[in-house]
Amino acid sequence: MGYPNLQACITDLEKHGHLIRIKQEVNPNLEMAAIHLRVFEAGGPAILFENVKGSKFPAVSNLFGTLERSKFIFRDSLEQVNTLVDVKNNPIQALKHPFKYANVALTALSALPMKVGRRQFEKCDISDLPQIVNWPKDGGPFVTMPQVYTEDSDKPGVMNANLGMYRIQLAGNDYILNKEIGLHYQLHRGIGVHQTKANAKGQPLKVSIFVGGPPSHPVAAVMPLPEGLSEMTFAGALGNRRFRYFYDEEGFCISADADFIITGTVEPHENKPEGPFGDHLGYYSLTHPFPLLKVHNVYHRKDAIWSFTVVGRPPQEDTSFGALIHEIAGSALQEEIPGLHEVNAVDAAGVHPLLFAIGSERYTPYIKERKPQEILTIANHILGKNQLSLAKYLFIAAAEDDPKLDVNNIGQFLTHILQRIDPTRDLHFYTRTTIDTLDYSGSGLNSGSKVAITVAGDIKRELWADVPANFSLPKPLVNYQMVIPGILAIEIPKNIRASDMPMIIEFLQEHFAEADLAGIPLFVLCDDAAFTAQNLNNFVWVTFTRSNPSHDIYGINEFTEHKHWGCDGPLIIDARIKPHHAPVLEKDQEVEKRVNVMGEKGGELCGVI
């Protein structure tokens, strides 16, 4: 049976050794986040903070810190939910195998939202909630595990509502304490569609923010669900407990099982500065105008527990969230895009900046020399699909070239690409387009470029593990390191200004114009070659979060022919931090020292970190 509330989940996790309690007082300003990060990095348990400085409410984090723990939480329902999503994606299968899917209708029916009588909640102010600040330069405390509920003004009611996870700034900036908070979301999201409709009618948008409740609720808020399957129904199916709700006296939807509910309205076209916020790319998203929520009420259960997570450079708890989502709906995209075998939004690169994909290459099978054709069509389809449309780099390979190729194996996949890439034909740019709001490598907020690198055919080169004996760099470049065979990280000295980079690129192009570098098809220009080459996670993070394809990809002997860009020497990606980029997230060392003490003998984290 499913958990009726968050407390039941915590009790179950503790009983089975999946949760620890921190009894000493902890500061929500940086210290709670630092503890969470250290426990997560150690593969540790969920954490219940019993004594949060400045708040009467305890807090819990790292519930979904490992895929194994997430699967334990939903051990009674994962199989039937997989089946439900599978049928929504491919209903023909249900007709072909009626006995296999016989219980799907019952599952969906039993998961329908349930309207209940009004429940008794207590009230408090925004300032009474745990004011958790994750990173030193954050603009204030944020809600990082919210379920944001809105309804469609044209089709009101819970079955047409949207439940999404968008960060909430509780205080700081120009917000009036306890009266205003900030919502960070893009207008193409479900809540944005609802706001656009409300704006057109000149009406305020009613928003309910749920925190806590059964663990199926936050998972439902981030699930990319098939058309026609509501988040509330999915939450019921995953949690083995129907989503229970009622409306308060002001007409706001209230999740009856939530620990906290914040209600308020977004007035048409009313924004205030929101941010900065340490985000999942590993940098701060900066201060920008975002919708303003005018707070009406803050409700809480008598025994309420605040649920939160910490966002930062991957991997983080949301990495495990993503793994759970893939476990449930991993095949959905393949059903929607003909010829697509696999796609992986590479977590180590911040998810949106980098996609690896495998597709069928079946066009013109009678031609001896194979080249990318069908996979370019698939690439276009991928880059037009939901959140995948925010990607900057898409590497797609042909399934026929290596049946064992794995999009989740970064080293293997990159090696496959570099062995076969033809830089004269395989790069396809999309300029002046949309990228992730959180990505500051582009030319403006939400603005940047993309490149699809489509690779098919036989191996063209043997990748070099070392540079040739006669290899040299043009001055003033000195330091370089091999990342893996075929990839060279070249360090740009710190005294080189951004305005000097065109000259540096020109030096490289002239220096290597006649060189034989067949075994090194990729140069990456970076601020620290040792760090970039230290491991593949560092490499993909540096390379693909700090470059804008149209502006930062160059090549040795590059050319443009009939509007197509290419080169017949190594590709060059300029992955330095540029002046317009956002700051990198860095931990507070004094706070880290305090956490170290907690891990020593007699400390509450001894044996955990």
Side-chain angles (χ1 to χ4, degrees), residues 446-570:
N446 268 123
S447 301
S449 64
K450 310 178 188 301
V451 64
I453 300 174
T454 58
V455 175
D458 296 332
I459 292 176
K460 294 179 172 59
R461 65 186 61 82
E462 179 183 346
L463 302 177
W464 298 345
D466 297 294
V467 298
N470 62 347
F471 180 86
S472 66
L473 289 171
K475 292 182 178 180
L477 308 183
V478 178
N479 294 329
Y480 60 86
Q481 287 202 28
M482 296 296 295
V483 180
I484 59 172
I487 302 177
L488 186 68
I490 299 175
E491 186 171 314
I492 303 299
K494 291 180 170 51
N495 62 339
I496 302 264
R497 297 170 298 183
S499 58
D500 294 330
M501 280 309 295
M503 181 178 62
I504 296 296
I505 299 293
E506 191 175 326
F507 285 170
L508 285 167
Q509 290 171 329
E510 291 177 356
H511 186 78
F512 292 118
E514 305 296 330
D516 176 10
L517 293 170
I520 309 179
L522 179 59
F523 292 169
V524 174
L525 311 184
C526 57
D527 298 303
D528 186 337
F531 175 82
T532 303
Q534 185 176 25
N535 54 58
L536 278 171
N537 281 359
N538 283 3
F539 167 74
V540 296
W541 182 61
V542 167
T543 303
F544 301 108
T545 64
R546 298 179 183 179
S547 60
N548 177 17
S550 62
H551 290 55
D552 294 324
I553 291 182
Y554 304 90
I556 305 300
N557 300 319
E558 63 181 41
F559 63 87
T560 303
E561 182 178 16
H562 305 307
K563 312 297 188 300
H564 179 85
W565 182 93
C567 64
D568 63 11

